Amino acid sequence: MKLTTRGHYSVKALLDLSLQPGYGPTSVKAIAHRQDLPAPYLEKLLIEMRRAGLVMSVRGSQGGYQLARQPSQISLGQILEAVGETIEPLPRYRPDAEQAEDWVTFSLWKRLHQKMKEALYSITLADLYYDARSWQAAIGEETSFVV
């Protein structure tokens, strides 16, 4: 699995939204500033995540993006899937029927892929939220947050 900036920035943005009081709407500019991300790129990612039902947009002067569900109902796997990240190992590879080693290693990659997929879909934004808050408490930080 290769995690690109699309996946990394998307997780950072949604974690940022989960840390907002009451999960209220937050502007793209505010998220981009807090997380040191390019706002135009972040906007495109948030649109993709809105289409996937992970965030919703709110219009108006106090508008922006907010989570469409509780953080405990949004997994890392869903976030990565929403922005087109793939965790598929060797997507078009077919093992050579003549080589046992080929079948064994292919089987290994398939098993590892399944475990990775299970992990990504079992870790939620709520889990990351508690990790972030624990880290902040450990260093004595109260309000600001950067992933």
Side-chain angles (χ1 to χ4, degrees):
M1 174 185 167
K2 179 181 177 184
L3 182 65
T4 67
T5 55
R6 294 177 63 77
H8 183 69
Y9 289 1
S10 298
V11 172
K12 285 177 69 163
L14 265 60
L15 181 54
D16 187 279
L17 289 176
S18 77
L19 292 165
Q20 299 311 305
Y23 311 120
T26 305
S27 71
V28 172
K29 187 176 178 180
I31 298 168
H33 177 74
R34 280 193 299 269
Q35 299 302 324
D36 193 26
L37 303 175
Y41 188 51
L42 178 59
E43 177 79 37
K44 290 176 185 176
L45 295 173
L46 286 165
I47 289 170
E48 290 179 39
M49 290 186 282
R50 183 180 48 107
R51 288 184 186 134
L54 300 178
V55 297
M56 55 188 189
S57 58
V58 177
R59 294 186 184 270
S61 62
Q62 300 298 314
Y65 285 92
Q66 66 186 50
L67 296 178
R69 297 180 254 171
Q70 293 295 312
S72 62
Q73 297 173 332
I74 300 174
S75 72
L76 291 180
Q78 292 169 324
I79 297 168
L80 297 176
E81 184 180 315
V83 296
E85 292 283 32
T86 179
I87 61 168
E88 297 297 321
L90 312 170
R92 290 178 281 285
Y93 180 75
R94 296 288 178 249
D96 185 345
E98 303 290 318
Q99 294 184 336
E101 297 86 350
D102 215 17
W103 280 101
V104 170
T105 55
F106 183 72
S107 175
L108 168 69
W109 292 126
K110 282 180 63 173
R111 288 193 335 239
L112 287 173
H113 168 257
Q114 186 57 38
K115 295 295 183 187
M116 173 90 68
K117 193 172 180 180
E118 289 169 13
L120 288 172
Y121 281 87
S122 70
I123 299 169
T124 67
L125 278 178
D127 298 323
L128 298 180
Y129 170 90
Y130 292 118
D131 289 346
R133 289 298 188 208
S134 295
W135 177 78
Q136 286 176 325
I139 64 168
E141 194 173 306
E142 289 185 24
T143 56
S144 66
F145 178 76
V146 176
V147 179

